[in-house]
Amino acid sequence: MKVEGVQNMPDDGDAQFSGSARQSRFNLTAQGEENGHKLKGFIEADFWDNVNDGSDSTFGLRLRHAFISVDNLTFGQTWNGQFFATAPLDVRIINFWGPGAGTIAGNGAVVRPELVVHYAKDGFRFTLQDPIYDDAAYPDMIGSYTLRTESGHAFSFAVTGREVGTLDGDSELGAAVSLASKFSFGQTALSLTAYTGEGQAVYAGWGFNGSRGASTSDVNSAGELISTTGVSAGVTHQITSKLRGTLRYGQVKAEEVSATVSDDTFKMATANLIYSYTPSLDFGIEVRDQNAATLPSAANFSSSSVRDEGLQVEIMAMYSF
């Protein structure tokens, strides 16, 4: 159960405050062993709905995950390969709309494709997933390797490839490489990531025409693939047994953006404090600043969905059971 309040203070326009409990979610897991095989089924839903017009305060269930695992194979709707290559090595933030800014998993709109197939073994993960390009002849593909050391450090390398629609029904192959790392020093953890390549802007959340997550974000007006490069750095410190704090910065630079976008680099800085009042109840506050909008304007979305250019302050309470 999670409730949040967000004060949105855009650089241009009036400040807005919105509150929501729509992030609350529940899941069911069934697992066991049959004929020597480990089986697992998992399904999860939240109340985010897909209607964001703010017409009322009732919201329907939305499917987040529904997958089956058999030994090392997982298939269904769940996290994409880019998420597993970076998010487990990132620091924790509260922001529902902007996780992983600066990484290949920075766009929450495509973080759980309708169909994903993972094969994971000994740190290797190979993924095929529902392609972003509607007319793609083959799935989007990700291969990654994660190394975890006895001292608590972790390193991940990933290669991604996807068919990108250009113009007049043509397409090209876009590819990118990603590095992620997390260093553990007692009560402090440091996360560093970087990626570069073509065809990844839709997953990173920034490309041609800005941070819209559209399938055209990897192709400019001439139908040519653009390249994007992202970096992020974050540090988390356990201040006391109950209080931890996080600082994070992420940015993505696009080779080319629309004339309507003033800066070709998307930047987001985040700072938060999370207090564990009890082992199952957290209170948190997060301050973040970004230099570009990450969702369409309030004319089409409710105020709780808008993340305009400027400053946001979020407070939250979350009870996990």
Side-chain angles (χ1 to χ4, degrees):
M1 307 290 295
K2 183 181 179 183
V3 296
E4 64 165 358
V6 178
Q7 182 73 37
N8 199 27
M9 295 170 279
D11 292 340
D12 298 315
D14 297 329
Q16 296 174 314
F17 179 83
S18 62
S20 174
R22 295 167 65 186
Q23 292 181 34
S24 299
R25 67 187 65 156
F26 66 92
N27 58 61
L28 297 172
T29 302
Q31 57 187 350
E33 187 169 326
E34 297 181 12
N35 299 329
H37 298 285
K38 294 181 180 179
L39 305 179
K40 179 180 179 180
F42 182 87
I43 187 167
E44 181 176 84
D46 65 10
F47 297 87
W48 197 260
D49 205 348
N50 286 310
V51 178
N52 294 314
D53 59 9
S55 58
D56 58 42
S57 59
T58 60
F59 303 98
L61 285 174
R62 180 186 67 163
L63 184 66
R64 285 172 54 87
H65 297 272
F67 67 82
I68 299 169
S69 293
V70 182
D71 298 327
N72 303 110
L73 184 67
T74 298
F75 45 91
Q77 179 171 323
T78 189
W79 303 117
N80 62 25
Q82 291 91 335
F83 180 92
F84 280 113
T86 57
L89 278 63
D90 211 336
V91 295
R92 181 182 177 186
I93 60 176
I94 298 174
N95 188 11
F96 185 71
W97 282 101
T103 75
I104 56 172
N107 183 5
V110 293
V111 74
R112 293 178 299 271
E114 292 184 21
L115 178 61
V116 179
V117 179
H118 294 295
Y119 179 80
K121 185 177 177 62
D122 300 329
F124 289 96
R125 181 180 295 272
F126 302 98
T127 301
L128 302 175
Q129 59 199 36
D130 190 34
I132 300 296
Y133 175 44
D134 289 338
D135 295 328
Y138 45 83
D140 291 0
M141 298 168 285
I142 305 94
S144 65
Y145 176 71
T146 300
L147 171 67
R148 298 185 182 275
T149 68
E150 294 182 358
S151 56
H153 307 320
F155 307 90
S156 175
F157 172 74
V159 178
T160 72
R162 59 177 291 257
E163 186 178 354
V164 182
T166 53
L167 292 177
D168 302 324
D170 293 332
S171 65
E172 293 184 27
L173 177 66
V177 295
S178 169
L179 295 171
S181 60
K182 193 167 190 177
F183 302 91
S184 179
F185 306 104
Q187 300 300 311
T188 303
L190 173 67
S191 174
L192 301 170
T193 73
Y195 92 88
T196 188
E198 297 179 335
Q200 200 62 47
V202 65
Y203 284 111
W206 181 258
F208 188 72
N209 286 322
S211 186
R212 302 302 188 194
S215 59
T216 57
S217 58
D218 283 293
V219 179
N220 63 19
S221 58
E224 301 167 337
L225 288 181
I226 65 166
S227 62
T228 55
T229 299
V231 295
S232 74
V235 59
T236 294
H237 181 67
Q238 193 72 39
I239 303 169
T240 70
S241 61
K242 292 189 173 185
L243 181 67
R244 63 185 179 272
T246 298
L247 296 173
R248 189 185 190 280
Y249 174 79
Q251 71 170 47
V252 183
K253 179 179 176 60
E255 175 187 19
E256 184 178 356
V257 294
S258 170
T260 61
V261 179
S262 59
D263 192 346
D264 61 2
T265 302
F266 173 67
K267 307 167 187 175
M268 177 182 286
T270 303
N272 66 47
L273 289 170
I274 298 177
Y275 180 73
S276 296
Y277 186 73
T278 72
S280 57
L281 178 61
D282 287 343
F283 295 105
I285 182 170
E286 183 166 277
V287 179
R288 49 189 179 257
D289 185 66
Q290 60 190 59
N291 69 328
T294 52
L295 280 174
S297 66
N300 298 317
F301 280 73
S302 67
S303 60
S304 63
S305 300
V306 175
R307 295 293 183 264
D308 287 323
E309 174 184 351
L311 190 68
Q312 298 121 34
V313 178
E314 178 174 340
I315 56 174
M316 71 91 180
M318 184 169 66
Y319 175 45
S320 303
F321 56 93

